[in-house]
Amino acid sequence: MTTMSRTDLVAIALILLLSLVIFLTQLLGKIKKNRQTPQVYDRIDDLMHRSSEEGKSLLIGLGEGLGGMAGGIGDLAGLMVERALVNRVVFNDQPAQSFSADGALACISQLIVHGAYENVLASELFRPEYNQLTGINSFIGLTGMLPEIARSENAGMVLIGSYRPENVIVCDLAERQRIPLIVASSSLPAQAAFFPTSAESALGEDYYLPSVGRQEYTQESLSITNSIRVIITAALVLAALLKLFGVLP
Amino acid sequence: MKDRVGIIIAVVSGLLFLAALFFQPVTAAWLNLILNWVIVVTAVGLMVSVARLIATHLRHIAVGRRGFLFSMIFIIAFSATLIAGIFMGEENPEYLRWIRAIQVPLETALLGLVALVMMSVATKVFRERGWSFLTLSFGFSALVFLFLNLGFLRLNQDPSLGKVVAVVQGLPMAGARGLLIGIALGALIMGLRMLFGQVVEND
């Protein structure tokens, strides 16, 4: 017989509630597109145009993936951005290059990059070096990425995924090389470390709202997050009142 | 349709795994089995990636790409480590001593560099981000906690001041919790939307 703890029950309730809100958001139709989307992802569009116009390469860092500090599915957000981004820069003079600090992540990323070339019937243009493993942990991944960003033929760099605060050294190098850098990390300490740099960085849950160009996904996620916030706040206030009146132990 | 099949398989496996996570210990044996599969697949993925990395560096050497000397150093270091590991055994104390003798000074030097870069970046915060409420509070709180944690002020010796210091020191935790609730919500929504196959609509 299974014995569920109170935490398990709360988790199940939260998942069911979230699923309900997600489906209701879908069912109720179009979301009003008036919410401000995180600026950090809007800048990726600028970098793509710069890459096309200047004929320079765009670098994409995907982080440590599931081998990172937290090891959650959110650490794979970089793959979504990579998919959207690579699809649009396939025919650029210089191809986009991805770097991963995790073997499994590098393999998935290669499938995505290869798929982007296949979708436009240009498989012959695909090269395995468009997608590289820079190391098998954070430090080695960091040192593997430094020589790539030091090259002069880069239009910009996008770091999205699980990154540690030590990666601030990449921001510093990008600044010295005058390469625009966009950073979105799932780790709070890393977000704090990237904040004072000149890189465009995501703060808080902005990281979990990735979008490139079309923003339906982000708008929907924002709408769902706001609805859940209201429900959680109401539940907290209700619980506090019940505790105050002695209903809850 | 080809895309849909993949998504359906991913969604069903994700939902089954999620359900199995909650219905332990009945599903514990299945969970262990699946986790073992994940470990095996991840290890194979790592091997494939390493093989591709070596092939890429060999290609750099073959075509004489700029910086190919670094590729040569990588290939030599990798081969030496691999061969020594195979013949001496990865648990061999002498082998581990060699690895540590190279790795520890390198990582320490890198950490020293990171500390310097962080200090330099922190001093540039107002130049890069301008004078806003966010940067001011960031700079002020950084200074406050730096002084408090250095231990020079010894404010804890005064009981009344000690209480104030304790409250102030608890503030980052309160702020972090607030942010973590938002992050957890974001991660949950992203995870569930991935599970429902909605992410593909992004582009």
Side-chain angles (χ1 to χ4, degrees), chain B residues 98-124:
Chain B
W98 288 351
I99 299 287
R100 272 194 218 110
I102 298 167
Q103 199 172 352
V104 171
L106 277 177
E107 288 196 356
T108 312
L110 189 64
L111 273 177
L113 192 62
V114 169
L116 283 175
V117 168
M118 277 191 174
M119 201 174 68
S120 132
V121 163
T123 56
K124 289 190 290 188

Side-chain angles (χ1 to χ4, degrees), chain A residues 62-77 79 100-106 108 133 135-141 161-164 186-187 207, chain B residues 38-39 42-43 46:
Chain A
L62 300 171
E64 298 169 64
L66 295 174
M69 282 186 289
I73 200 154
D75 294 337
L76 305 180
L79 290 175
S100 321
D102 177 50
L105 184 65
I108 302 172
L133 174 76
I136 50 167
N137 68 26
S138 171
F139 259 124
I140 308 175
S162 170
Y163 280 100
R164 294 167 65 99
S186 55
S187 135
Y207 166 76
Chain B
V38 171
I39 291 167
T42 309
L46 179 61

Side-chain angles (χ1 to χ4, degrees), chain A residues 211-226:
Chain A
S211 74
V212 180
R214 291 169 62 185
Q215 292 172 339
E216 284 85 351
Y217 177 85
T218 306
Q219 290 290 336
E220 271 182 17
S221 292
L222 273 171
S223 176
I224 296 163
T225 314
N226 287 347

Side-chain angles (χ1 to χ4, degrees), chain B residues 18-187:
Chain B
L18 194 64
L21 210 61
F22 287 121
F23 291 101
Q24 291 186 73
V26 174
T27 51
W30 290 99
L31 266 182
N32 277 337
L33 181 73
I34 296 169
L35 281 176
N36 283 336
W37 287 352
V38 171
I39 291 167
V40 171
V41 172
T42 309
V44 172
L46 179 61
M47 277 173 66
V48 170
S49 300
V50 169
R52 219 179 52 231
L53 181 69
I54 293 166
T56 304
H57 281 283
L58 285 175
R59 200 174 299 118
H60 287 174
I61 296 168
V63 299
R65 186 194 183 202
R66 201 178 66 179
F68 75 94
L69 276 174
F70 297 115
S71 296
M72 284 176 84
I73 293 169
F74 167 75
I75 295 287
I76 292 166
F78 180 83
S79 311
T81 315
L82 185 72
I83 292 166
I86 288 170
F87 285 106
M88 295 172 76
E90 60 184 67
E91 296 294 325
N92 185 301
E94 195 63 18
Y95 173 70
L96 289 176
R97 198 173 64 84
W98 288 351
I99 299 287
R100 272 194 218 110
I102 298 167
Q103 199 172 352
V104 171
L106 277 177
E107 288 196 356
T108 312
L110 189 64
L111 273 177
L113 192 62
V114 169
L116 283 175
V117 168
M118 277 191 174
M119 201 174 68
S120 132
V121 163
T123 56
K124 289 190 290 188
V125 62
F126 296 108
R127 202 181 68 199
E128 296 293 345
R129 302 273 169 186
W131 295 84
S132 65
F133 178 71
L134 197 61
T135 51
L136 277 173
S137 52
F138 183 86
F140 180 71
S141 55
L143 280 175
V144 166
F145 291 109
L146 190 67
F147 281 117
L148 278 181
N149 292 324
L150 276 174
F152 289 139
L153 299 175
R154 299 191 184 280
L155 297 172
N156 289 333
Q157 286 173 351
D158 186 332
S160 52
L161 265 178
K163 282 181 186 169
V164 176
V165 171
V167 169
V168 172
Q169 282 181 328
L171 286 177
M173 194 52 73
R177 278 187 186 159
L179 278 170
L180 283 174
I181 289 175
I183 285 182
L185 263 181

Side-chain angles (χ1 to χ4, degrees), chain A residues 17-31:
Chain A
L17 181 70
L18 267 169
S19 310
L20 186 72
V21 174
I22 289 171
F23 281 115
L24 279 179
T25 314
Q26 297 276 308
L27 276 178
L28 291 177
K30 299 285 177 195
I31 304 292

